[in-house]
Amino acid sequence: MKAVVYREPYSVEIGEVERPTIQHPNDVLVRITSTAICGSDLHMYEGRTAAEPGIVFGHENMGIIEEVGDGVVSLKRGDRVVMPFNVACGFCKNCMAGNTGFCLTVNPGFAGGAYGYVAMGPYMGGQAEYLRVPFADFNCLKLPPEGHETDFILLADIFPTGYHGCELAQVSPGETVVVYGAGPVGLMAAYSALLRGASRVFSVDRIPERLSKAESIGAIPIDFSQGDPVAQIKDQTDGEGTDKGVDAVGYQAQAHGTTEGKEEPAVVLNSIIETVRPTGRIGVPGLYVPADPGGVDENAKRGMLSVAIGRMFEKGQVMGTGQCNVKRYNRQLRDMIIAGRAKPSFVVSHELSLSEAPEAYRKFDQRIEGYTKVVLHP
């Protein structure tokens, strides 16, 4: 079958790989109809991780079930399903507590698994024609047989992840919220804050297309290239700052006024601590892992940052972190889409064929031609 295969930094190609098969009675085989390129795929694409040549990318996947293992009881051939990017067993201590992003079964020696992602287990990605889904009764979310294709694919990751940022921050009706980053997850976090009833949501970024998209959903754009975002937001909140904050950037952050391309991995965390008022809450779904941020010190490459913990303590703030437990939210978010209460597909900029993936990766990585979120259709 055809799949997006990593070859070397800044190079993926459409290659022929072995079609997956049922390996366990709990598996299903899904014919992929939509799969998306994620910002975290770029970490591998840019050579920042230990990804080896030959890995098939793709952890945001949906499609139609083609084959069903003998042990699967709730699914059948022809069902339309979307899979959380988290591969989870459903029965370990963490899964039973709802922390499916940190499953203790699927990836021995590491808490959590994912499709097509380095260090996240032996699970081929779904930027391909077919995908094997383990523990399928638990991992597949059934969908209506037709409609909302571009909305539903976002249930695999970025819509729940943006919502998760708001849950970590405990965003409540009437509150003010700042979201650092207006990429796909940041836009979903801003959107989720508005869905949860926030009175004002500030969206911080420097890319005009992203800020325009944030404004289109009712967020207040803050361009950090035009000045300190903390000062800009405090000017609009009577000097108090916001009630809540979400960091949707992670370690690839850049400070205002710095040279283009120079990363300062702790700058968003420190800015959000200053932006959020005393006793406010902060959610961090942005990725902070040992990796290879460009142009930073060795401590940052090991995931050790200079964060103003003393200032955070002084302000009595609470911070929640970690990747999204998608199954905690995807069923409710699916039902909001079906009911017409949510339409997350506004974030999608391009829908392309699988064969166009190499060029899509290049343009998404360089943030050109309005590439914000790309959905591929094998």
Side-chain angles (χ1 to χ4, degrees), residues 166 169-177 193 196-199 244:
C166 292
Q170 295 187 6
V171 173
S172 299
E175 292 185 318
T176 54
V177 181
R196 291 168 69 106
S199 60
K244 304 291 171 63

Side-chain angles (χ1 to χ4, degrees), residues 271-315:
S271 293
I272 207 167
I273 289 168
E274 289 301 322
T275 307
V276 173
R277 65 170 174 80
T279 72
R281 299 184 71 98
I282 298 167
V284 186
L287 187 63
Y288 287 94
V289 295
D292 183 23
V296 299
D297 62 37
E298 291 302 315
N299 283 334
K301 290 181 180 182
R302 298 198 303 272
M304 301 171 66
L305 306 180
S306 297
V307 177
I309 188 68
R311 180 66 169 147
M312 185 179 171
F313 178 87
E314 175 187 317
K315 297 180 76 172

Side-chain angles (χ1 to χ4, degrees), residues 49-362:
T49 71
E52 296 182 356
I55 184 174
V56 174
F57 288 170
H59 57 265
E60 301 179 62
N61 309 303
M62 69 174 286
I64 308 297
I65 294 177
E66 290 256 319
E67 297 180 31
V68 181
D70 292 341
V72 175
V73 297
S74 65
L75 304 165
K76 65 183 185 302
R77 188 175 187 275
D79 282 345
R80 187 182 185 213
V81 292
V82 62
M83 283 66 66
F85 76 88
N86 320 115
V87 181
C89 70
F91 54 76
C92 73
K93 186 175 184 178
N94 281 349
C95 284
M96 291 288 284
N99 298 316
T100 57
F102 304 88
C103 177
L104 301 172
T105 303
V106 298
N107 190 12
F110 192 98
Y115 303 98
Y117 202 83
V118 63
M120 296 297 281
Y123 304 101
M124 182 181 290
Q127 289 174 13
E129 295 178 298
Y130 292 90
L131 177 72
R132 179 181 75 91
V133 180
F135 303 104
D137 285 308
F138 188 70
N139 286 309
C140 290
L141 177 68
K142 285 200 282 190
L143 302 169
E146 58 185 28
H148 300 291
E149 181 86 9
T150 312
D151 291 306
F152 286 148
I153 181 56
L154 302 182
L155 291 172
D157 184 352
I158 67 166
F159 191 14
T161 294
Y163 196 90
H164 179 60
C166 292
E167 183 71 12
L168 289 171
Q170 295 187 6
V171 173
S172 299
E175 292 185 318
T176 54
V177 181
V178 61
V179 178
Y180 275 83
V185 170
L187 288 169
M188 288 294 95
Y191 188 54
S192 296
L194 292 165
L195 287 174
R196 291 168 69 106
S199 60
R200 285 184 293 166
V201 178
F202 299 93
S203 178
V204 182
D205 208 293
R206 63 176 175 81
I207 298 175
E209 293 92 342
R210 292 178 169 184
L211 292 169
S212 176
K213 187 76 74 171
E215 188 172 26
S216 74
I217 61 170
I220 301 167
I222 301 292
D223 185 346
F224 73 78
S225 70
Q226 301 302 308
D228 181 4
V230 178
Q232 292 187 61
I233 293 167
K234 286 194 171 182
D235 282 347
Q236 298 186 56
T237 55
D238 297 324
E240 181 181 82
T242 60
D243 298 306
K244 304 291 171 63
V246 177
D247 173 3
V249 179
Y251 71 81
Q252 287 185 273
Q254 297 179 21
H256 75 93
T258 60
T259 303
E260 176 73 18
K262 182 180 179 182
E263 295 175 3
E264 295 187 25
V267 69
V268 166
L269 289 172
N270 289 326
S271 293
I272 207 167
I273 289 168
E274 289 301 322
T275 307
V276 173
R277 65 170 174 80
T279 72
R281 299 184 71 98
I282 298 167
V284 186
L287 187 63
Y288 287 94
V289 295
D292 183 23
V296 299
D297 62 37
E298 291 302 315
N299 283 334
K301 290 181 180 182
R302 298 198 303 272
M304 301 171 66
L305 306 180
S306 297
V307 177
I309 188 68
R311 180 66 169 147
M312 185 179 171
F313 178 87
E314 175 187 317
K315 297 180 76 172
Q317 295 168 333
V318 176
M319 180 181 291
T321 68
Q323 71 173 349
C324 178
N325 306 299
V326 173
K327 279 189 63 69
R328 184 174 290 181
Y329 314 110
N330 65 352
R331 188 176 301 272
Q332 295 95 322
L333 296 178
R334 176 201 63 185
D335 292 346
M336 291 184 73
I337 291 170
I338 293 170
R341 297 287 304 278
K343 192 170 180 60
S345 58
F346 76 87
V347 76
V348 174
S349 60
H350 294 76
E351 295 190 59
L352 306 171
S353 68
L354 190 70
S355 64
E356 297 174 276
E359 184 69 0
Y361 265 94
R362 184 185 69 82

